[in-house]
Amino acid sequence: MTDYEILLMLDPELPDERQTEIVTRAREAIERDGGTWDNHEPWGRRRLAYEIGHKNEGAYHLLTFAAEPATLEEISRVLKITDGVMRHLAVRRVQGGSTRPPEPAPEEPVAATAAARHDGESRQTRSSAREESD
């Protein structure tokens, strides 16, 4: 058996009961095929870097378990067709690796981001103009 972890990104509008049901179905499939369930860590809602299906947030859950590769393939197949699962990523677990959620990135005000982008563009324009005149 191999140690795996699956990071689920679920639709944030799903009721908690439905989110729990998706995780429970994965656990039941693992245990039914002789695998061992280690842990489920709900990481909560996180802002996405880009929209997925017109949604800018996702509800994250980390599942850790040991199973046969065929079991992982079946769970991944089911997750792909399950309503409410926006994305999932299954990887081999590194022993001693952290299962803590990453710290959320601080949000920059939109005006500051636009001003920085504009300032950078004007510097490039000035340097390009100098190079052309030389």
Side-chain angles (χ1 to χ4, degrees):
M1 267 198 254
T2 307
D3 290 333
Y4 295 107
E5 58 186 46
I6 295 178
L7 184 61
L8 286 175
M9 182 194 318
L10 303 178
D11 185 338
E13 296 171 4
L14 282 180
D16 288 341
E17 299 82 32
R18 177 67 177 135
Q19 291 185 28
T20 303
E21 178 186 336
I22 291 169
V23 171
T24 301
R25 286 179 54 202
R27 180 179 186 161
E28 289 170 351
I30 291 163
E31 291 175 341
R32 179 180 56 241
D33 289 345
T36 58
W37 179 263
D38 293 334
N39 198 13
H40 164 230
E41 290 186 38
W43 283 5
R45 293 170 71 124
R46 298 287 177 128
R47 186 161 183 77
L48 304 177
Y50 57 90
E51 285 187 1
I52 298 175
H54 302 290
K55 298 186 185 322
N56 58 5
E57 285 187 328
Y60 287 82
H61 296 264
L62 181 68
L63 315 177
T64 55
F65 58 94
E68 295 297 329
T71 303
L72 179 67
E73 288 176 20
E74 176 62 15
I75 291 170
S76 290
R77 185 191 70 78
V78 170
L79 289 173
K80 285 179 189 175
I81 61 174
T82 301
D83 290 336
V85 177
M86 294 170 58
R87 296 281 191 276
H88 76 280
L89 176 67
V91 296
R92 288 181 63 179
R93 188 170 22 156
V94 176
Q95 291 302 323
S98 174
T99 59
R100 282 185 335 189
E103 295 297 321
E107 291 191 30
E108 293 183 30
V110 175
T113 305
R117 188 178 311 126
H118 178 71
D119 186 40
E121 289 171 0
S122 62
R123 277 192 218 123
Q124 286 178 337
T125 305
R126 286 191 302 258
S127 66
S128 296
R130 263 188 249 126
E131 289 173 4
E132 288 175 8
S133 66
D134 290 339

